Amino acid sequence: MSIEVISILVLFISFFALLLLKVPVAYSIGISTTLSLLLNIDRLPGITTIAQRMITGIDSFALLAIPFFVLAGEIMKRGGIANRLINFAKSIVASLPGGLAYVNVLASMLFGAISGSAIAATSAIGSIMTDRMEEEGYPRSFSASVNITSSTTGLLIPPSNILIVYALASGGSASVAALFIAGYVPGILLGLALMGYIAYVAIKKDFLKGERAPLRDIWNYFKKAFFSLLLLVVVVGGIVMGIFTATEASVIAVLYAAVLALAYKNISVKDFPDVLLASAKTTAVVMFLICTSMAMSWLFSFESIPALMSDFLLNQFSNPFVIFFIINIILLIVGTFMDITPAVLIFTPIFLPVVMELGMDPVHFGIVMVLNLCIGLCTPPVGTILFVGSGVANISVSEVIKPLIPFLVIMIIVLMMVCYIPEISMFLPRLFDL
């Protein structure tokens, strides 16, 4: 057995063993990468190389957008924006069967898109909507399932931090602007698909309808939510029109959110140190994950793993549809035990060359990959959003699993549609020539 094969085996066996021992993902990635490299080169240059690759991995101007979008999301979370979006959504759809569940989905889509964070949407919207839905007869487990799955739409609808991470991992093959505009239709499609299942359940179980809001109230709620919604237009519109880059847009988002939150008087200037501290903690976790994941991605190239994977898949399977299906299955499995950020950074260099060889656009694959890994965020044992959503609803994870399964099936159906119908994600980028 060659040293290259042994190195690859050590990498994956040590990585999964550390995960099973509940070592944090970032440390598992860093330790397994170091052990594997030390089989090829001496200790001092090996450790130096890993440290160097971790630093150069985050030496990217585009990555500056992440801490600023995290900060903007934290300001919005505390700035009273969630309530305004919920009230606006409720005025539109609450009169339909299962109306409050629609409100949950629509508010999660809006807040997730504005904040760029699925976790922020899960906690902000779930903490408000679960109690409201329970008062009108919805089981807390069903409300939590709606909240958990709908929050993932914010990772597709821009601005989205994970799409920025994918742009970095693609090595420039996919631009942030193209990924942002490509995420709109799949994100909205996912939200509508979840609403379709909610409609079926609402009619079957005869959930209560809310009162139809008069047009005057809808207009008033819209005016109150207008400046929150305008952020999407400012950020994404500015990027698509070439007025500013994604990184510059993130700074504008922070300034806009800060002015808006102060104007709403939900937070004051003295609250900003706590906001900055919370954002810094989140950013540190994300950046450390990116550091170690980029080191592992470099090791993959060093060991020629992407080329080996490409040759294997292309030699074993001749049908592109079968290869895409296999890649989706692998990513679905990966998503159940790995967080979305390291998964994107580690597996993009492995699978992107394969799908590009088969003619798939890297922007299209980015949307497919993110949507795929969003499903993993909602599943045990590592599903971050699953645990946040259950915690916010004050129920155990085991109580959520059964009502969650149909929603996960809906998400998988949408994933297959987005994967095999490229126009769903590529229509808008081609329209704007991105």
Side-chain angles (χ1 to χ4, degrees), residues 72 74-81 84 228 254-268 272:
E74 189 67 27
I75 294 171
M76 292 171 196
K77 180 181 173 182
R78 304 190 188 197
I81 292 173
R84 292 169 182 266
S228 303
V254 171
L255 294 173
Y256 189 103
V259 171
L260 202 61
L262 290 171
Y264 289 163
K265 297 181 180 179
N266 289 94
I267 61 175
S268 61
F272 275 90

Side-chain angles (χ1 to χ4, degrees), residues 66-98:
I66 292 179
F68 284 111
F69 276 130
V70 168
L71 177 56
E74 189 67 27
I75 294 171
M76 292 171 196
K77 180 181 173 182
R78 304 190 188 197
I81 292 173
N83 259 321
R84 292 169 182 266
L85 294 175
I86 288 172
N87 289 333
F88 173 56
K90 186 176 180 180
S91 69
I92 299 174
V93 297
S95 61
L96 300 172

Side-chain angles (χ1 to χ4, degrees), residues 22 61 75 91 109 175 183 207 231 265 286 296 346 373 382 400:
K22 297 185 178 180
F61 180 73
I75 294 171
S91 69
M109 290 173 68
S175 70
F207 285 142
L231 178 61
K265 297 181 180 179
V286 173
M296 181 177 276
I346 291 170
L373 295 171
V382 183
V400 179

Side-chain angles (χ1 to χ4, degrees), residues 82-112 121 124-126 128-130 132-133 136 138 142-143 146-147 150-151 153 191 194-195 198-199 202 208-211 213 221:
N83 259 321
R84 292 169 182 266
L85 294 175
I86 288 172
N87 289 333
F88 173 56
K90 186 176 180 180
S91 69
I92 299 174
V93 297
S95 61
L96 300 172
L100 275 187
Y102 295 140
V103 174
N104 199 327
V105 174
L106 192 55
S108 293
M109 290 173 68
L110 292 172
F111 190 83
I125 303 301
I128 299 170
M129 287 304 302
T130 305
R132 289 192 186 183
M133 292 177 70
E136 296 197 14
Y138 295 84
F142 178 79
S143 303
V146 173
N147 181 40
S150 61
S151 296
T153 57
L194 295 174
M195 288 182 181
I198 289 168
L208 292 174
K209 296 181 182 180
E211 295 182 2
Y221 286 127

Side-chain angles (χ1 to χ4, degrees), residues 82-388:
N83 259 321
R84 292 169 182 266
L85 294 175
I86 288 172
N87 289 333
F88 173 56
K90 186 176 180 180
S91 69
I92 299 174
V93 297
S95 61
L96 300 172
L100 275 187
Y102 295 140
V103 174
N104 199 327
V105 174
L106 192 55
S108 293
M109 290 173 68
L110 292 172
F111 190 83
I114 291 171
S115 68
S117 169
I119 293 177
T122 306
S123 58
I125 303 301
S127 60
I128 299 170
M129 287 304 302
T130 305
D131 290 337
R132 289 192 186 183
M133 292 177 70
E134 185 179 35
E135 291 172 1
E136 296 197 14
Y138 295 84
R140 294 184 76 86
S141 57
F142 178 79
S143 303
S145 300
V146 173
N147 181 40
I148 289 165
T149 50
S150 61
S151 296
T152 60
T153 57
L155 298 177
L156 293 167
I157 303 173
S160 167
N161 289 335
I162 195 60
L163 292 179
I164 297 171
V165 172
Y166 173 81
L168 172 71
S170 72
S173 299
S175 70
V176 174
L179 288 164
F180 273 14
I181 201 71
Y184 269 113
V185 175
I188 293 171
L189 176 63
L190 177 58
L192 292 175
L194 295 174
M195 288 182 181
Y197 175 69
I198 289 168
Y200 165 76
V201 175
I203 293 171
K204 182 179 179 181
K205 297 191 175 182
D206 196 26
F207 285 142
L208 292 174
K209 296 181 182 180
E211 295 182 2
R212 183 182 297 275
L215 289 176
R216 182 180 62 187
D217 287 352
I218 295 176
W219 174 246
N220 287 333
Y221 286 127
F222 172 73
K223 287 192 295 184
K224 291 179 179 179
F226 173 75
F227 288 106
S228 303
L229 298 170
L230 186 62
L231 178 61
L232 285 174
V233 179
V234 172
V235 171
V236 181
I239 295 172
V240 172
M241 294 173 65
I243 299 173
F244 40 71
T245 65
T247 305
E248 293 163 345
S250 66
V251 179
I252 291 170
V254 171
L255 294 173
Y256 189 103
V259 171
L260 202 61
L262 290 171
Y264 289 163
K265 297 181 180 179
N266 289 94
I267 61 175
S268 61
V269 174
K270 67 179 182 181
D271 295 319
F272 275 90
D274 288 338
V275 173
L276 290 169
L277 180 60
S279 301
K281 288 179 179 178
T282 302
T283 301
V285 172
V286 173
M287 286 301 182
F288 187 52
L289 272 171
I290 292 174
C291 280
T292 55
S293 298
M294 291 302 289
M296 181 177 276
S297 295
W298 172 82
L299 183 64
F300 284 164
S301 298
F302 181 76
E303 300 288 358
S304 301
I305 293 176
L308 292 172
M309 179 63 73
S310 179
D311 291 342
F312 172 76
L313 289 174
L314 294 174
N315 290 332
Q316 294 296 319
F317 307 99
S318 58
N319 191 325
F321 289 91
V322 175
I323 296 177
F324 294 155
F325 182 77
I326 292 170
I327 291 174
N328 272 308
I329 294 297
I330 293 172
L331 290 175
L332 283 170
I333 295 170
V334 166
T336 62
F337 62 83
M338 187 181 294
D339 195 51
I340 191 168
T341 299
V344 166
L345 288 166
I346 291 170
F347 289 93
T348 297
I350 294 177
F351 292 129
L352 185 58
V354 178
V355 298
M356 289 180 67
E357 181 76 18
L358 296 170
M360 180 182 277
D361 192 285
V363 173
H364 178 203
F365 180 67
I367 300 301
V368 171
M369 175 177 252
V370 169
L371 175 54
N372 190 308
L373 295 171
C374 281
I375 298 171
L377 293 174
C378 306
T379 59
V382 183
T384 311
I385 298 177
L386 172 63
F387 290 107
V388 172

